[in-house]
Amino acid sequence: MDSQTFFRKLGVILALFLLIISIGVPLLLIFWQSIYPEQHLDWLAPIRTIAGHELSGILLQSIWLGVCVVAGSTLFALPLAWIMAKTRLGEHRWVDVILMIPFMTPPYIGSMGWILFMQKGGYLQQWLPGAARWSESFFSFGGMVLIMSLHLFPFLYLLLRDALIRIGGNLEEAGAVHGAGAGYRFRKIILPLLLSSYGMGAMLVFVKTIAEFGTPATFGRRIGYYVMTSEIHKYISSWPIDFGKATSLASVLLSVCLVMWYMQSTVSRRFTYRLVGGKGQRSKRYSLRGSKGAVSALYIGLLLILSVGIPYFSVIAASLMKLRGAGLSIDNLTLDHYKELLSWGSVSLKALGNSLGLSLAASTVAVVLGTGFALTIGKSQGRMQRVIDLFSLLPNTVPGIVMVVGLILFWNAPWMPVTLYNTYGMVVLTYVVLFLPYTVQYVKASFTQIDGTLFQAGQVFGGGPLLILRRILLPLIMPGMLAGWIMTFTIASRELVGSLLILPPSMQTSATYIFAQFEQGQVSLGMAMAVVSVGMTVVLLLMVEAMNSKRKWNAS
């Protein structure tokens, strides 16, 4: 065995070991803790725990919420995808840019914005005093479904839009030649071809809904609608702490998500069609004239207002108000909350600094580990590489709160030689584990596009492994590494559920600060922190985009 093969196998073993320790073992501990209560094995213990403590209703509420949010997201995404893919309105690419804003907005911030807008004496009632009846109707299960659907429908929209673009116009024209009407063609041609993409999008929306903590913790608690994630958080964070119930709920929630992944993969295998081939094709475009065009434009505008306009207006307005009771007026606006927020030595500035420091450390560690895993996986289809790929994607499949519970069980175990729980290292480790898949996927996508002849050319001209790594490989995968670093930094800086559970005592981040201020009634300070946090994310993304544009210009 030559040295290159030896180091390659050593890298595979090391990568697999790290992934099993950081991801596999914590998840196994959740199942073990749930089926081994009171020092004896009981495979049905999670089911008995849920049924015996009347928690089965919480499970059904979570599943029903997921189903309703999938339906709501479909109602928003499907018409929009058809309009943007099949009409001239799709040429307005700025709509897609604006629809990316919900991706950058933490769900709890959007939920808080809607609460401020619709609550008694809120912004809507200040404009329309007769809207009190709407406010009462909004604070219900239907309002919760609306908020979560408006946050998650872009996932489904992007998948459906791309699928519609790939459907060639010749298929619809063939149906029209044989006398099929527009409705029949849509039902018999378009919908079957969309089923695979829709299954993927619906599954993502469902899993993200039942795994969501921010909206149930803010809006759901207000209307008395509790779900699995809020109950898991309650049993871990409130005295008396009950890890038995928490792990039982976590194992059941994990099982539901895995079943959904299996169902989606089955649907995709059965209803996947080859739509792109060597023969050229074009997507059929419809002209919207008169009332149809006006209705379509109105639909897009209304959707942008509901998903972006109202939440952000509420958040920014709340951050600028002197007195909440004085209402919206020019003389009631102030920047004092931002001055207090950013004053030297304040609790809020320390929280912001903690978020930046922890996110910087986590994103740096994640990009190093993720790059190593991605290069280990490479273009190989070996069994070990597929296992590494599976484990690296697992945190994206598992609800975040379940992963956090597993990490707490593992790193707080009495038999561990080193206990990371209640340390800064635990926070960084949690962020790395939760967001590692982003770096792995971005770097893997960049690496798989590199032709192997480039490395062979480097070897022919006498380049050693380090020179090839430094002069050929790293420059080519650097965009993927940068994208993974940015994604990890952005999401980690506003992560809520993990921060609430594993932060050391008396330590806060920007996310926990926003959550605490909103719960304690200091809404203006919390919303000012939200504006600063999201603003920093937007500035960072714009800077990176400018750097990429400059690099492309220099390359051309």
Side-chain angles (χ1 to χ4, degrees), residues 96-147:
D96 290 340
V97 176
I98 295 179
L99 286 175
M100 293 300 103
I101 294 178
F103 285 118
M104 299 185 295
T105 306
Y108 59 91
I109 291 181
S111 177
M112 292 173 184
W114 272 103
I115 291 174
L116 293 172
F117 189 80
M118 296 296 296
Q119 68 184 355
K120 184 178 180 180
Y123 304 130
L124 179 61
Q125 288 191 28
Q126 293 179 31
W127 289 338
L128 301 172
R133 179 169 50 86
W134 296 355
S135 297
E136 295 175 0
S137 301
F138 179 78
F139 286 96
S140 61
F141 175 74
M144 188 172 178
V145 170
L146 176 65
I147 292 174

Side-chain angles (χ1 to χ4, degrees), residues 249-458:
L249 288 172
S251 61
V252 172
L253 183 60
L254 177 58
S255 301
V256 172
C257 292
L258 294 178
V259 168
M260 286 299 302
W261 276 99
Y262 176 77
M263 292 173 59
Q264 181 273 326
S265 62
T266 302
V267 171
S268 295
R269 285 195 303 268
R270 184 175 179 182
F271 295 99
T272 297
Y273 304 95
R274 295 180 180 178
L275 298 175
V276 179
K279 186 178 180 180
Q281 60 182 1
R282 57 179 178 82
S283 177
K284 183 176 178 58
R285 294 250 179 192
Y286 294 89
S287 60
L288 295 179
R289 299 176 180 176
S291 60
K292 293 182 179 179
V295 170
S296 298
L298 181 63
Y299 178 79
I300 294 175
L302 182 62
L303 202 53
L304 293 178
I305 291 173
L306 292 175
S307 61
V308 179
I310 289 177
Y312 271 88
F313 168 80
S314 301
V315 169
I316 295 173
S319 69
L320 295 173
M321 278 192 176
K322 295 179 184 177
L323 298 174
R324 291 179 58 198
L328 289 169
S329 60
I330 298 298
D331 56 354
N332 193 34
L333 300 181
T334 181
L335 293 175
D336 290 343
H337 303 300
Y338 289 93
K339 294 178 182 178
E340 181 179 352
L341 182 76
L342 301 175
S343 60
W344 186 256
S346 63
V347 175
S348 53
L349 189 61
K350 291 180 180 178
L352 188 61
N354 289 335
S355 286
L356 296 177
L358 293 171
S359 302
L360 180 63
S363 55
T364 303
V365 174
V367 78
V368 173
L369 292 178
T371 301
F373 295 151
L375 296 181
T376 302
I377 298 168
K379 304 175 185 179
S380 174
Q381 296 297 320
R383 181 181 302 175
M384 298 290 283
Q385 280 80 4
R386 289 199 298 269
V387 172
I388 293 173
D389 198 10
L390 173 64
F391 271 102
S392 67
L393 287 175
L394 207 53
N396 252 359
T397 310
V398 177
I401 194 169
V402 174
M403 197 74 244
V404 173
V405 171
L407 291 171
I408 293 174
L409 290 175
F410 182 61
W411 291 104
N412 197 34
W415 43 265
M416 283 290 290
V418 178
T419 302
L420 285 180
Y421 189 61
N422 272 340
T423 65
Y424 288 7
M426 180 68 181
V427 184
V428 174
L429 174 66
T430 301
Y431 289 168
V432 170
V433 170
L434 288 177
F435 310 124
L436 182 66
Y438 296 108
T439 300
V440 174
Q441 292 306 303
Y442 281 122
V443 176
K444 190 174 71 171
S446 298
F447 180 66
T448 53
Q449 295 174 358
I450 301 175
D451 194 335
T453 56
L454 294 175
F455 306 123
Q456 297 172 5

